[in-house]
Amino acid sequence: MVSKNWTGPRGNQTIPDGPFTLHLRGLPFKATKAEILNFMEIRREQVVKFVICRNDDGRPSGEAFMIVSDQIAGQMALNQHKAVMPGYTRYIEVLRCDVKKMIDKVGNIPD
């Protein structure tokens, strides 16, 4: 795995960049991290970073970013593009992106 140094809105950061950085849009507002990973068919140990975006009042915005550690996990996640999570009605967009987009959107990425 390669690390990238990036100056984001909150200063310098070193972000591990696995083969896949994913941007998820259209997530159910009540979906938990565990539900999302289960839906994406990704094991916790394959996730390097996972951030659920929040709006200004602290509620989930329906977006998330995830860095996964291997190509198989990334490809499995991309296969869920425009699929619907069980129990919900919205489809989820699963898009590959770069770490810069993730940092620009969420600022400082927690460990």
Side-chain angles (χ1 to χ4, degrees):
M1 193 172 342
V2 177
S3 291
K4 289 185 179 180
N5 291 319
W6 187 259
T7 302
R10 297 186 185 154
N12 292 330
Q13 302 176 63
T14 300
I15 304 298
D17 186 19
F20 277 82
T21 302
L22 300 163
H23 181 194
L24 311 174
R25 294 191 304 204
L27 291 167
F29 300 122
K30 294 182 180 182
T32 65
K33 178 179 177 179
E35 288 176 319
I36 295 166
L37 293 179
N38 186 48
F39 169 72
M40 304 295 289
E41 299 179 4
I42 295 175
R43 295 185 320 272
R44 285 184 180 267
E45 60 269 13
Q46 293 173 303
V47 177
V48 177
K49 295 282 181 184
F50 185 93
V51 178
I52 295 176
C53 300
R54 300 193 176 275
N55 56 26
D56 291 337
D57 59 0
R59 293 184 300 190
S61 68
E63 289 186 81
F65 287 90
M66 180 184 326
I67 301 174
V68 295
S69 63
D70 61 77
Q71 292 183 351
I72 294 170
Q75 196 59 52
M76 289 185 76
L78 289 174
N79 289 338
Q80 297 298 335
H81 180 62
K82 293 202 174 177
V84 177
M85 285 179 70
Y88 297 99
T89 57
R90 298 174 67 175
Y91 71 82
I92 298 168
E93 294 179 80
V94 182
L95 308 164
R96 191 169 184 182
C97 70
D98 60 14
V99 174
K100 180 187 181 317
K101 182 175 182 174
M102 182 178 181
I103 292 171
D104 287 348
K105 180 73 175 183
V106 300
N108 191 30
I109 300 172
D111 287 327

